[in-house]
Amino acid sequence: MDIAVSFGAGVPVLTLTGRFDGAAAVVFDDRAGALETETAHWVLDFTGVTYLSSLGIRSLVSLETRLKAKDGGLVLAALAPLVRRVLEVSRLDSFWKIEPTVERGILKARAAALLAPAIEVTSSRCRARIRHLTGAESTLERWTPLTLSPGDLGVAFGIGRLGATTPEGGSAHGQFVSTPQFTAVLDADADGVTDFVVGDASQIVPIDVASAWGLSGAPASILELEASSGFSLFDALDELFEHAAGAGSAAFGFAALARTDGQPPGVFATGIAFDQDAPLERGTPLPSGRCLIGGAVTLRKRPDMEGAGELHDVLRGQATLESLGGIVALSACPPVTHALVWVFAPREIRSGAAKLLQVTVEGDATWRQEWDAIIRRLYADCRSVTLTPLHGGFMSSTFKAVAYDQDGRRTLPGVVKIGATEVTRREVEANQNYVSRFILNNGTTVLGDAQVGEWAGLRYNFLGINGPDSRLAWLYDHYRQRPVGEVMTLLEQVFTRVLKPWYGQPKWEPVFLFRDHTPLRLFPSLFETAEQVLGIPADAPEFDCPELGTRLPNPFRFLKHEYPRRARESRLWYTAVCHGDLNLRNILVDERDNLYVIDFSETRPRNAVSDFARMEPVLKFEMIDPDSDEELRRLVEFEEALMSVTALDQPPPFRYDGIDPMVARAHAGISLLRRCADRATLFETDMVPYWIALLEWTYPVVCYRQLSPRLKRYAACSAALICRSIQQIESRA
């Protein structure tokens, strides 16, 4: 392992590169021991470390112990996921200060190094060591009814309940204590039982606040209180507030971790002490005449406070279900013998919502209250964001986002998607596996993801966007409005330029067409709906098609009986990475005709013609709607011609005697799709894999509530014609 030493703002930075194993640990110990510096706060840059062994951890612990003896310590920065996981498994991730970047690590080390020397004060109840913090500013926040994440609240207490408000209601509001590391809520309907969320769940499960107070910013000082016998923590603080935060404050905030004189063995408390004439609310009187409000959580284990300094590092060590007990009133807290207290001197009282991102939703979008918390987490680096719905999403809601940073500068336009957590998780994984590694300049970059309750959101940016004033619109809008030639150029570029890294590398391997392309996975009630809407029972062998003057094979019988019978049937065919749900409403176009594809929750390797076959029903059933039985007849004849080909390299005939220009447009698009499918499968021209992929998205049209009965009839006839073509091809084979 290589070790380079530099100094950032006077802070030693050791940049490590290589494996931190036993041999590297010896080198590290020698180099760290020989480093001469008066600064006891160091930063270790782990950007280049790919492996950390137990002996490497032992060297880190040894150096941390040596620096702590000088009131210093280590900050570990830029840890790789594997190294971070090693520390988590070793239960040492809370032992060190850990920052995502070296720059933030230097800031953390500088702030720790600026601590003033401790002063000793003896009160009537205990001995106190007070360490003032330089540059500390804080704010007292008042929260009114709102649903948000505990991370937005910070250290707070009040009345609320876990989970977002729902139309069905839920449990009654009860007392809560919240920190970014854990939230405790005394369930008003559960006979005094305290409910908890801890760790990462604290950033996912929302809290519905009725009213609350919170502390924002940095504490003015850290107090360490000790006595040989138990004393009242709050009476002791009442004596020491002015020593800790200076005279003249109308209110003092605090967060305290304490060992008690009995059972339970520990307690965490947070609250506000204020003058009686301060415009807050009634509370418990203190000896000085101040009033006290707040909340406390008992601890099942005796808290370890040795070498503690950073409030959130200490809280992280308590944020386990094994450690947390239950909520108690401040007046019920037992006497304590040892306490660490972070004292805040708020310079103002403000609305808590004032610090949150200002979210504006335009148009007629359906919006849920907990989505606000998702947006605030996705755009935590911004002052405001305006969301405009981009209609057409099936599994998620999609919005164009225009945001302004903290200095009021407009950022590049992006897109936000909010959907179910599982759908969003799949999209993040697919983006990592198949988009960022292949799609290059027209790819979408996921700038962040956030989860609150059962919902999760993604913030997308687009490589190649020209500036804040760039305009983004769906390809759907361009398809309907622009000349056919221009639209076909855009559509062809999607397949032959943007997504070419996927389709241009097909792999010859076994595929299970009937198993992989069943529509019943997403539409399990398809048979019942078809009989109810179209009057076609799933077991009937055929149905009348007066539009063609003949009877057609029943496609729903084919789905019900042939698909399960042939589910384990495989054949050799080309596979490629495919989008899985490609349509005109997940392809965006900017003002320079740059194309951007989104919605990757279904992306994975599959039948290489899947995306082309998926797009064909879009061009027909979303863009064309017969307004009469005569027009329906014309469309079914048009469909029969499309399905008359027997090979991918055969151009589909155009048979249509109506006047709807969208039909000719659809034919041009379908001809293009099949040419692209033919290229993706090299020299293979078998139509059956294309037909089965096409059926997967033709069957479900009957379930789309917004479509007309004639359009559903058109889709059923299309499915029947595809099934007839499959049977004819297979009988000839």
Side-chain angles (χ1 to χ4, degrees), residues 101-125:
T101 65
V102 175
E103 291 75 16
R104 288 182 57 175
I106 292 172
L107 291 176
K108 174 81 78 170
R110 278 200 73 204
L114 291 174
L115 288 172
I119 60 173
E120 303 281 346
V121 175
T122 301
S123 75
S124 63
R125 293 171 173 82

Side-chain angles (χ1 to χ4, degrees), residues 22 62 104 112 182 215 223 391 402 508:
S62 176
R104 288 182 57 175
F182 67 84
L215 296 167
L223 279 65
H391 296 290
V402 176
W508 184 254

Side-chain angles (χ1 to χ4, degrees), residues 316-378:
R316 197 174 293 113
Q318 305 303 320
T320 66
L321 294 177
E322 294 77 17
S323 297
L324 298 168
I327 284 186
V328 295
L330 292 184
S331 58
C333 285
V336 305
T337 57
H338 187 187
L340 279 175
V341 185
W342 292 261
V343 176
F344 295 77
R347 71 179 186 276
E348 64 175 339
I349 300 174
R350 70 177 181 188
S351 165
K355 76 173 183 181
L356 300 178
L357 173 79
Q358 300 303 305
V359 180
T360 302
V361 183
E362 296 181 333
D364 57 350
T366 300
W367 190 261
R368 302 177 66 95
Q369 190 176 23
E370 58 265 46
W371 291 4
D372 280 322
I374 290 175
I375 297 301
R376 284 195 291 270
R377 290 184 60 193
L378 290 177

Side-chain angles (χ1 to χ4, degrees), residues 141-362:
E141 295 172 341
R142 184 72 170 105
W143 294 94
T144 51
L146 189 66
T147 298
L148 67 170
S149 73
D152 292 326
L153 276 173
V155 177
F157 60 89
I159 304 299
R161 64 183 174 191
L162 290 173
T165 302
T166 63
E168 298 79 18
S171 62
H173 291 86
Q175 186 178 0
F176 76 84
V177 173
S178 182
T179 76
Q181 288 74 30
F182 67 84
T183 299
V185 179
L186 188 62
D187 193 331
D189 296 333
D191 297 326
V193 175
T194 300
D195 199 5
F196 290 96
V197 290
V198 301
D200 291 340
S202 295
Q203 304 305 314
I204 297 172
V205 179
I207 182 166
D208 181 33
V209 174
S211 64
W213 289 97
L215 296 167
S216 177
S221 59
I222 302 175
L223 279 65
E224 185 172 7
L225 312 180
E226 284 188 282
S228 56
S229 59
F231 61 92
S232 166
L233 172 63
F234 310 112
D235 289 351
L237 285 176
D238 194 29
E239 285 187 54
L240 295 167
F241 276 135
E242 293 188 356
H243 288 286
S249 294
F252 301 94
F254 67 88
L257 182 69
R259 296 173 181 168
T260 70
D261 198 22
Q263 289 295 326
V267 65
F268 170 77
T270 183
I272 306 164
F274 53 91
D275 295 341
Q276 289 186 341
D277 57 353
L280 298 182
E281 58 187 71
R282 298 183 61 182
T284 302
L286 292 171
S288 67
R290 298 186 183 96
C291 291
L292 177 69
I293 56 175
V297 179
T298 61
L299 304 175
R300 300 175 187 271
K301 296 181 179 180
R302 180 181 174 88
D304 179 12
M305 298 183 290
E306 298 302 322
E310 180 72 28
L311 171 60
H312 295 293
D313 290 344
V314 173
L315 292 177
R316 197 174 293 113
Q318 305 303 320
T320 66
L321 294 177
E322 294 77 17
S323 297
L324 298 168
I327 284 186
V328 295
L330 292 184
S331 58
C333 285
V336 305
T337 57
H338 187 187
L340 279 175
V341 185
W342 292 261
V343 176
F344 295 77
R347 71 179 186 276
E348 64 175 339
I349 300 174
R350 70 177 181 188
S351 165
K355 76 173 183 181
L356 300 178
L357 173 79
Q358 300 303 305
V359 180
T360 302
V361 183
E362 296 181 333

